[in-house]
Structures are given as structure tokens and as C-alpha cells.
């Protein structure tokens, strides 16, 4: 019946000729952070995307605009978080046009939560939603893996966040100014990038306020250093 | 949602009919001792670089099936649109079909809207397709092109992630190629410098990776047009055939000859006039 000749693949070669990093999914293995201040929010992220042990992109932008004054910081699977952000951007844009008003940050955060919770088995995404709206000013909402939603004045996420909980808890003060928040974020991210192998590259910062969005980049050699060791 | 370019309506879930057929075939033949042939992987080095006036894409030409070179002159730079080309690494069938699908969609879109397709649109469509299949389509693609908004280079991964970068290498030889690119890439290079850089990057991949080899193809895309140079550089390890395999008429001796005339009679004749008005 079969006119096809089938080749035996029983040699000593590896079954799968592709190396490990070609088969692994692209992860953002990251450090992300967001801080509220009076008048807006400061968000920051590192810039490393890894596939296994290979750095696929060393200049990634993990701060993704969802709407004019609402951003999200992405951690987890690159493909999943990009797809979720695209979907939420569409939904929020549609909602905003219907309403004829800029959307609330809380709305954006809930859209993320809906998607992350409904598809929690298939997705691997830890997202921080931050922005400014007229009703409540600057807000930070965190939607970790699993789909919880909570509002926090300061939030860190990603694989590098474990190393900076102590620093953030001890150094955060309420009612910091914009410059103090930027300094605080840059330092926290540097510390995380120093210790976490999956975080690195440059520090990307953004300030979102009533006046719009201001973006900054701090290159690797300009990062604050802390210890002599 | 109005999508003027999407030709296929996405169905939910996957179609695994072929996997049950494969299992059936394996069980029938040799009672499961023989396995089906592995899918053809391109085991590749591909690279792309944005330069002053456009984009240069490069690729090697080896396609492997496990340890055997299946195709020495495989074309890995696929046509997407007159101003957009795509290099594919990973499973050969997946990259071919995905790029064909993308090309058809963009052509339909161009015809419907009267616009030239943009590179970012091609990247978004690819991302949609690949994310839907959750990594089952093994296509690692470098998408490069020039449109009214500038010169662009995108990487789309098999799970549906997208990166926009000025230079890029993918495939099994990408570590070596990336080393060359990281060392010598500069912004706004001239065309000759960019071509040499991409050629050297692919060459590094060919020298260090078993899955890459043979010739180097280059594709230079600019506002004015595309220069697809295939091959740009031939392998120095080409072999000449030792013998000729053409035989003269009369090489085989004729032993007997038997001529049988076929008697045919006209049974039925039907004339149909063509309307050429």
C-alpha cells in the first residue's frame, strides 16, 4: 500500500538538531516598576529579552502605550504580553471612542485582568498598568500571573523584582516629587539588573502626567553604582 | 471587525487530522518499528541590516534533513511584496507556507485599498497568524522592507513575538553572525559596507554551524527597487561531477523489434462552434 520509503532516524545524533535557545519561547525575564506621585506616575523597565540563555534583544522596549496617558509594563512571555497589549489597546480605544472621553486607568487595568484571568492556563503574563486620568490622577495597578488585580502606590514585577523588595520597602516614601521618583526607580532597577541574570541592558523610564508622556533612557554605563564589590 | 485583507476566517482550535494519520501509518508499516521522516529544517543563518538607503537581507542556502543536506541551493529569502522580503529559519515547510499566505493577503489588501503594503502591517499579520498557533508553526522570520515611512527590519518569533531592531541574525548560526554584526554595525552605512557586513555575518554562521552552508544570497531593498542577488557568493567547496551521465543514442543494443499497427475507426464526430463575438 505504501509507495513511500521511510528513513530510520536512529543514529547517534541529537533527535532535534535545533539548539536549546531556538526551541525556547521568548521570555522578557525582567524587572519592571511603577511609582505614583502627586500629579502622575513614573514607570521603568530594563531592556533584556531572553530565549533560554541567549539574549534575543538587548534593547527591548517593555513600556507599551495602551492609550495616550496609559502605559503597561510587560513581563513574562514576550508573545503573550504583546498579544494581550494589542487586544487591550484595541478594546480601550473602541471604548474611548464610544464614550467620547479619555478612558480611566482603572478601566484599562480591568481589561487586562479580564484577559489574564480568563486565559490564565494558557498565558504567562505579569503586567503593571500605570497612567494618569482626570478622575483619580496618577494610578498604578498590578496584574500578576494568574490574573489578580490590585492598586498599589508602588509596584515591582518580573524575575528581578525579588532582589529589590527590601530596597523598595525601605526607601519608598509617600508624596515624593517627580525627580525623586525617577531617581528611586532608576536606582531600584539598577540594583535588580546587577543581581538578576535575566535583567539588563538599559533602563527605560517614562513619566506620565496631565501634560503628557516624557520618555528617558539611561544607558548601562550611566547607571548609578552602589558597592565597590 | 473589518479586515479587508484577511482571506481565511480563523477557526478556533487546531486541526490535528494529520497527526492521527501519521500514527496510523507508523503502526501499519513494520508494526511501529519504522518512524515517519522528520520534517525538513532549514538549520540556517539569516541576517538583516538597516542601512542609509534601505535594508539588506542575507541568507545561506543549505536545507538539512537531520544529518543530510537535502538542498544545497535552497532559497530562504521569500518574496512578500515588491518592497518587502522575508528571510525564514526553522521548519522549511512552515516558513514557506506562512510567507506565501502573508504575500497573498498583502496582495489582496493592495488591490482592495489601492495602497502599497507597509512593513509594519506584514509584521502584524505574521504575529497574528503565529500567535494563534501557539508556537506549533516553527517559523522564525526576519521581515525587511522599505515603505513610505522609512526602512524597517522586524523579527517575528514562532510564538508570535515581534521586535523592531536595526540589525538582526536568526537561525542556528545566529550566534556567530550576531558577533560580526555587534562588532561592525554602524548607523547609516553605505550600501557596499552593508553588503559586506551581511555577507561576512552569514559567512561566520556558515563556518561555525553545521546546519548552514553552501552559497550566500543577498537581497538589497531600496525605495527605487529590489536587487535580489542569488548567489552573491558561491561556496569555495563546490564539487565538479566526476562522470558524465548522458548516454549517446545507440548505447543500449536493440535485440528484437516488433511493430503492431493499431487499427482505429472513426466512431463519432462532434463539432462545436466557438462563439467569438
Amino acid at each position: 500500500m505504501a509507495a513511500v520509503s521511510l528513513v530510520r532516524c536512529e543514529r547517534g545524533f541529537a533527535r532535534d538538531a535545533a539548539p536549546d535557545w531556538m526551541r525556547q519561547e521568548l521570555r522578557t525575564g525582567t524587572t519592571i516598576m511603577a511609582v505614583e506621585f502627586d500629579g502622575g506616575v513614573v514607570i521603568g523597565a530594563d531592556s533584556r529579552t531572553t530565549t533560554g540563555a541567549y539574549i534575543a534583544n538587548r534593547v527591548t522596549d517593555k513600556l507599551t502605550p495602551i492609550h495616550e496617558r496609559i502605559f503597561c509594563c510587560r513581563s513574562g512571555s514576550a508573545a503573550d504580553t504583546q498579544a494581550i497589549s494589542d487586544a487591550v489597546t484595541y478594546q480601550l480605544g473602541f471604548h474611548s471612542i464610544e464614550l467620547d472621553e479619555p478612558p480611566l486607568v482603572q478601566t484599562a487595568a480591568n481589561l487586562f485582568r479580564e484577559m489574564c484571568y480568563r486565559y490564565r492556563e494558557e498565558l504567562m503574563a505579569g503586567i503593571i498598568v500605570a497612567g494618569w486620568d482626570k478622575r483619580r490622577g496618577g494610578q498604578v495597578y498590578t496584574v500578576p500571573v494568574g490574573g489578580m488585580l490590585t492598586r498599589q502606590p508602588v509596584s515591582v514585577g518580573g524575575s528581578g523584582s525579588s532582589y529589590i523588595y527590601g530596597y523598595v520597602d525601605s526607601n519608598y516614601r509617600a508624596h515624593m516629587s517627580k525627580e525623586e521618583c525617577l531617581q528611586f526607580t532608576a536606582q531600584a532597577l539598577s540594583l535588580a539588573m546587577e543581581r538578576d541574570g535575566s535583567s539588563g541592558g538599559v533602563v527605560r523610564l517614562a513619566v506620565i502626567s496631565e501634560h503628557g508622556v516624557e520618555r528617558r533612557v539611561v544607558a548601562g554605563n550611566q547607571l548609578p553604582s552602589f558597592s565597590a564589590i | 471587525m473589518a479586515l479587508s485583507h484577511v482571506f481565511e476566517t480563523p477557526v478556533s482550535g487546531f486541526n490535528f487530522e494529520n497527526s492521527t494519520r501519521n500514527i496510523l501509518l507508523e503502526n501499519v508499516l513494520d508494526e511501529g518499528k519504522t518512524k515517519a521522516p522528520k520534517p525538513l529544517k532549514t538549520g540556517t543563518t539569516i541576517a538583516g541590516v538597516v542601512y542609509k538607503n534601505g535594508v539588506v537581507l542575507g541568507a545561506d542556502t543549505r536545507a538539512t534533513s537531520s544529518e543530510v543536506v537535502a538542498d544545497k541551493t535552497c532559497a530562504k529569502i521569500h518574496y512578500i511584496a515588491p518592497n518587502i522580503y522575508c528571510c525564514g529559519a526553522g521548519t522549511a515547510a512552515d516558513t514557506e507556507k506562512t510567507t506565501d499566505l502573508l504575500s497573498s493577503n498583502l496582495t489582496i489588501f493592495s488591490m482592495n485599498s489601492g495602497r502599497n503594503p507597509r512593513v509594519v502591517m506584514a509584521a502584524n499579520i505574521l504575529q497574528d497568524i503565529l500567535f494563534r498557533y501557539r508556537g506549533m508553526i516553527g517559523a522564525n522570520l526576519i521581515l525587511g522592507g522599505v515603505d513610505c515611512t522609512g526602512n524597517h527590519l522586524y523579527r517575528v518569533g514562532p510564538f508570535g513575538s515581534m521586535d523592531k531592531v536595526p540589525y538582526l541574525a536568526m537561525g542556528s548560526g545566529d550566534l556567530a553572525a550576531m558577533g560580526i554584526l555587534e562588532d561592525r554595525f554602524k548607523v547609516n552605512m553605505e550600501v557596499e559596507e552593508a553588503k559586506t557586513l551581511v555577507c561576512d555575518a552569514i559567512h561566520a554562521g556558515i563556518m561555525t554551524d553545521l546546519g548552514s552552508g553552501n552559497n550566500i544570497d543577498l537581497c538589497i531593498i531600496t525605495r527605487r527597487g529590489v536587487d535580489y542577488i542569488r548567489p552573491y557568493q558561491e561556496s569555495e567547496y563546490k564539487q565538479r561531477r566526476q562522470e558524465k551521465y548522458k548516454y549517446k543514442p545507440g548505447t543500449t543494443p536493440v535485440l528484437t523489434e516488433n511493430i503492431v499497427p493499431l487499427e482505429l475507426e472513426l466512431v463519432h464526430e462532434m463539432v462545436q462552434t466557438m462563439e467569438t463575438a
Side-chain angles (χ1 to χ4, degrees):
Chain A
M1 157 199 144
V4 137
S5 80
L6 299 175
V7 174
R8 283 175 184 271
C9 296
E10 286 167 333
R11 312 291 180 85
F13 295 91
R15 278 251 113 186
D16 201 5
D20 171 60
W21 45 262
M22 242 180 122
R23 281 173 287 151
Q24 292 244 17
E25 197 180 329
L26 220 74
R27 287 295 179 91
T28 43
T30 282
T31 315
I32 48 177
M33 182 165 165
V35 189
E36 286 177 14
F37 68 91
D38 191 22
V41 291
V42 169
I43 56 176
D46 73 305
S47 69
R48 185 172 286 186
T49 317
T50 50
T51 39
Y54 177 64
I55 298 173
N57 190 352
R58 58 182 172 84
V59 286
T60 327
D61 186 7
K62 302 180 193 179
L63 307 175
T64 309
I66 301 296
H67 204 263
E68 221 181 300
R69 284 182 179 74
I70 306 176
F71 268 62
C72 79
C73 311
R74 300 181 290 111
S75 76
S77 154
D80 289 349
T81 51
Q82 281 177 7
I84 298 171
S85 323
D86 285 346
V88 171
T89 308
Y90 162 74
Q91 290 170 349
L92 199 67
F94 187 86
H95 165 74
S96 172
I97 288 174
E98 258 189 344
L99 221 56
D100 196 22
E101 216 181 84
L104 299 176
V105 188
Q106 185 184 11
T107 313
N110 272 293
L111 286 171
F112 270 107
R113 184 268 303 268
E114 265 302 301
M115 199 159 287
C116 291
Y117 181 73
R118 188 180 297 264
Y119 299 107
R120 55 185 299 170
E121 304 301 328
E122 287 89 22
L123 295 173
M124 168 69 93
I127 296 179
I128 299 179
V129 185
W132 181 93
D133 63 45
K134 218 164 74 153
R135 195 183 287 187
R136 296 205 183 101
Q139 299 144 75
V140 171
Y141 294 87
T142 179
V143 183
V145 171
M148 174 185 89
L149 171 64
T150 186
R151 183 180 169 187
Q152 295 177 313
V154 60
S155 183
V156 293
S159 59
S161 64
S162 336
Y163 304 97
I164 53 172
Y165 278 111
Y167 178 81
V168 168
D169 287 343
S170 59
N171 286 67
Y172 173 72
R173 293 173 335 263
H175 311 296
M176 282 196 282
S177 72
K178 178 181 103 171
E179 281 308 319
E180 283 173 328
C181 283
L182 278 165
Q183 193 63 340
F184 175 51
T185 312
Q187 292 197 338
L189 289 171
S190 310
L191 284 167
M193 281 154 62
E194 185 75 29
R195 286 291 179 177
D196 180 29
S198 311
S199 304
V202 302
V203 169
R204 293 196 190 274
L205 297 163
V207 183
I208 310 169
S209 65
E210 187 184 0
H211 312 293
V213 178
E214 186 198 321
R215 296 202 67 151
R216 292 190 201 177
V217 176
V218 183
N221 56 358
Q222 290 157 7
L223 289 173
S225 60
F226 291 88
S227 59
I229 51 163
Chain B
M1 233 190 328
L3 294 165
S4 68
H5 56 273
V6 174
F7 200 54
E8 51 163 26
T9 34
V11 284
S12 60
F14 303 116
N15 183 346
F16 283 122
E17 277 170 17
N18 283 344
S19 57
T20 41
R21 177 207 70 179
N22 287 346
I23 294 168
L24 225 68
L25 272 176
E26 281 173 18
N27 289 334
V28 162
L29 299 149
D30 276 358
E31 285 114 26
K33 276 190 232 131
T34 324
K35 291 264 170 229
K38 285 181 74 69
L40 190 76
K41 285 184 157 265
T42 44
T44 284
T45 310
I46 48 178
V49 145
V50 174
Y51 75 100
K52 194 162 96 172
N53 297 325
V55 175
V56 177
L57 298 173
D60 72 305
T61 58
R62 176 177 289 184
T64 51
S65 182
S66 289
E67 67 279 5
V68 175
V69 175
D71 191 353
K72 289 182 284 207
T73 51
C74 172
K76 299 184 191 181
I77 307 182
H78 309 282
Y79 168 86
I80 302 291
N83 57 329
I84 307 173
Y85 276 72
C86 180
C87 303
T91 311
D94 288 345
T95 56
E96 294 261 356
K97 274 301 162 195
T98 313
T99 47
D100 272 351
L101 198 65
L102 174 65
S103 178
S104 312
N105 274 351
L106 284 181
T107 314
I108 291 172
F109 163 78
S110 287
M111 287 195 251
N112 278 343
S113 64
R115 286 174 186 259
N116 279 331
R118 298 193 187 179
V119 191
V120 67
M121 184 175 179
N124 278 323
I125 296 174
L126 272 177
Q127 192 180 30
D128 279 342
I129 297 173
L130 293 174
F131 184 76
R132 211 184 314 145
Y133 289 96
R134 313 285 308 180
M136 291 293 158
I137 297 185
N140 294 274
L141 303 164
I142 294 183
L143 199 65
V146 177
D147 56 34
C148 58
T149 55
N151 316 321
H152 306 286
L153 193 65
Y154 286 89
R155 176 238 310 279
V156 185
F159 288 89
S161 58
M162 181 170 90
D163 281 308
K164 186 174 191 315
V165 275
Y167 59 95
L168 193 47
M170 290 197 88
S172 51
D174 77 341
L175 290 174
M178 208 51 176
I180 303 285
L181 290 173
E182 285 280 13
D183 186 35
R184 282 158 45 185
F185 175 80
K186 290 191 290 291
V187 199
N188 285 335
M189 280 186 291
E190 295 298 326
V191 64
E192 284 309 318
E193 206 184 334
K195 277 159 72 174
T196 316
L197 179 59
V198 175
C199 185
D200 287 348
I202 306 288
H203 188 71
I206 288 174
M207 285 294 127
T208 51
D209 176 45
L210 298 177
S212 310
N214 301 97
N215 307 332
I216 299 176
D217 291 345
L218 277 194
C219 183
I220 300 112
I221 311 171
T222 56
R223 281 192 79 92
R224 263 177 251 114
V226 174
D227 196 9
Y228 192 158
I229 310 173
R230 186 176 144 76
Y232 178 75
Q233 194 183 82
E234 292 207 325
S235 161
E236 51 243 41
Y237 303 103
K238 262 166 88 92
Q239 227 186 353
R240 293 267 105 85
R241 284 242 147 90
Q242 306 293 336
E243 296 277 342
K244 282 204 192 331
Y245 297 99
K246 277 190 145 42
Y247 296 96
K248 281 201 302 278
T251 312
T252 313
V254 179
L255 298 177
T256 49
E257 201 174 305
N258 190 4
I259 303 176
V260 176
L262 292 170
E263 278 162 22
L264 302 168
E265 61 175 84
L266 186 60
V267 173
H268 176 70
E269 188 177 335
M270 186 178 81
V271 176
Q272 190 168 30
T273 48
M274 223 167 40
E275 308 225 353
T276 50

